[in-house]
Amino acid sequence: MATSDDGPPDPEGSVPGPASGSYERGDGADLRPGIERSSEFEVEGRLLTDVGGTIGVSVLSTPGMIAMLERNAAILSFEHLPEGKATVGFEVCVKHVAAAAEGARCSAHARLREVADGRKLRFDVEVKEGERTIGVGTHERRVIDAGAVKKD
């Protein structure tokens, strides 16, 4: 996890997102089905593709869309986990159903559908531009002991 000197760890530091400090770690007591979170983002920078110049315009890439979905679910989990716990993504199943042009304001949404075995988190996820669906699907994360991750 990326960290900042002025805030909490950034659960998905490799993609654009809320400023560090705009979310806080929970106590673990309320990690339950039904919790949800949305975050807005602008389609820009590393989120863009022009498909190797073949479409003549820059749009939200599928990997960029997935990154924003994962980031939002990771932060939702972080906000409801106790100190020493983190999550890692292990499955993504989404459909990218519409284009979002460069500069579009989109929102990533995650709703925790199920907690299995106390450690597998199953989310329903979607990206929208206003009322228009850009992507929809599911995402799974696993709760881990943050101290168990070793740096080489």
Side-chain angles (χ1 to χ4, degrees):
M1 287 191 296
T3 60
S4 170
D5 293 336
D6 57 9
D10 182 352
E12 292 288 336
S14 62
V15 295
S20 191
S22 61
Y23 45 90
E24 296 179 11
R25 180 176 290 284
D27 62 9
D30 57 354
L31 184 63
R32 68 195 180 317
I35 61 172
E36 51 191 286
R37 180 180 197 284
S38 293
S39 64
E40 290 191 4
F41 65 95
E42 185 172 342
V43 177
E44 62 183 358
R46 292 177 288 179
L47 300 177
L48 294 170
T49 186
D50 65 358
V51 193
T54 64
I55 61 174
V57 64
S58 292
V59 295
L60 178 63
S61 70
T62 301
M65 180 187 74
I66 291 169
M68 297 311 290
L69 289 169
E70 277 201 270
R71 180 182 217 294
N72 190 56
I75 293 170
L76 174 60
S77 302
F78 179 86
E79 292 175 329
H80 296 274
L81 285 172
E83 191 68 37
K85 297 292 183 182
T87 62
V88 292
F90 69 92
E91 183 175 299
V92 177
C93 183
V94 296
K95 292 181 182 179
H96 195 161
V97 298
E102 181 174 11
R105 294 291 305 167
C106 292
S107 120
H109 183 78
R111 180 180 183 281
L112 182 58
R113 180 173 26 99
E114 179 183 3
V115 178
D117 301 328
R119 63 190 181 101
K120 294 178 188 172
L121 309 179
R122 296 185 174 123
F123 297 90
D124 293 317
V125 295
E126 69 180 342
V127 168
K128 292 190 140 196
E129 180 186 9
E131 294 299 312
R132 193 167 66 99
T133 300
I134 304 300
V136 63
T138 60
H139 174 47
E140 296 192 33
R141 302 190 70 77
R142 181 160 294 142
V143 177
I144 63 164
D145 291 321
V149 178
K150 304 279 190 231
K151 292 182 183 179
D152 288 339

